[in-house]
Amino acid sequence: EDQVTQSPEALRLQEGESSSLNCSYTVSGLRGLFWYRQDPGKGPEFLFTLYSAGEEKEKERLKATLTKKESFLHITAPKPEDSATYLCAVQAGNYGQNFVFGPGTRLSVLP
Amino acid sequence: KAGVTQTPRYLIKTRGQQVTLSCSPISGHRSVSWYQQTPGQGLQFLFEYFSETQRNKGNFPGRFSGRQFSNSRSEMNVSTLELGDSALYLCASSEKQGMNTEAFFGQGTRLTVV
């Protein structure tokens, strides 16, 4: 059974304090790993897609990396507006959207 | 380009009733998927539609059903509502089915069953 876990469950950072979020997965036939950001009461907002081990993508203060068993979302010098829940999802199997989501990491960045 | 639109945003229903939720995908997107989000279970896949056909289905009872119209708009129906059906229901659209493509989510419909 495809599984996705995320750690830590919650993370509090001071503004400017860099850190990393972890996403570990067990899937058969990974087609893609996705990172989303979700603000309270809103739908997830797409951040990155990673397809193969060794791949990296960056967007502003965020950088996502992928290995064969896990992905990291690195946050450099975060700002309070980066506070949100970060969700990791995998697409596996042969077809279909069918994301399997992790439970998320709730990030709070304090000014 | 307009995003994914879900209606209504909020809904309160009584146990035993049925409910229909609507989703309009991004223009040109032909794949629509539905997800249920609860504090305890997180985001769980319900089903995916592409070209008016259900392509994938998650592990939910038959009380949860859906359909897609020729203009790619989709509806989700839940019959005989239970208290445990209270959740945020999210719709996501993507350009293609069966490809490595990201999904864009709507704001969701918050369903409360009393």
Side-chain angles (χ1 to χ4, degrees), chain B residues 90-107:
Chain B
L90 291 159
C91 162
S93 79
S94 54
E95 281 189 71
K96 301 174 184 178
Q97 187 260 350
M99 302 284 289
N100 295 340
T101 177
E102 66 260 26
F104 296 88
F105 285 81
Q107 299 275 54

Side-chain angles (χ1 to χ4, degrees), chain A residues 44-102:
Chain A
E45 175 190 343
F46 171 76
L47 293 174
F48 303 109
T49 309
L50 301 166
Y51 296 112
S52 56
E55 190 175 358
E56 297 182 353
K57 288 193 176 173
E58 285 187 71
K59 179 180 179 181
E60 296 180 358
R61 295 177 292 283
L62 300 176
K63 178 180 176 180
T65 61
L66 180 66
T67 71
K68 287 189 177 180
K69 292 185 178 181
E70 57 190 352
S71 176
F72 291 93
L73 184 64
H74 307 277
I75 304 176
T76 302
K79 298 182 178 182
E81 54 261 42
D82 294 322
S83 297
T85 296
Y86 290 86
L87 297 163
C88 166
V90 298
Q91 257 184 344
N94 294 321
Y95 61 87
Q97 191 187 95
N98 197 359
F99 288 117
V100 177
F101 278 87

Side-chain angles (χ1 to χ4, degrees), chain A residues 31 36 38 43 51 96-97 99, chain B residues 33 35 37 48 56 100 103 106:
Chain A
R31 287 191 289 128
Y36 284 85
Q38 187 174 25
Y51 296 112
Q97 191 187 95
F99 288 117
Chain B
S33 294
Y35 293 81
Q37 187 173 32
E48 178 189 11
N56 277 297
N100 295 340

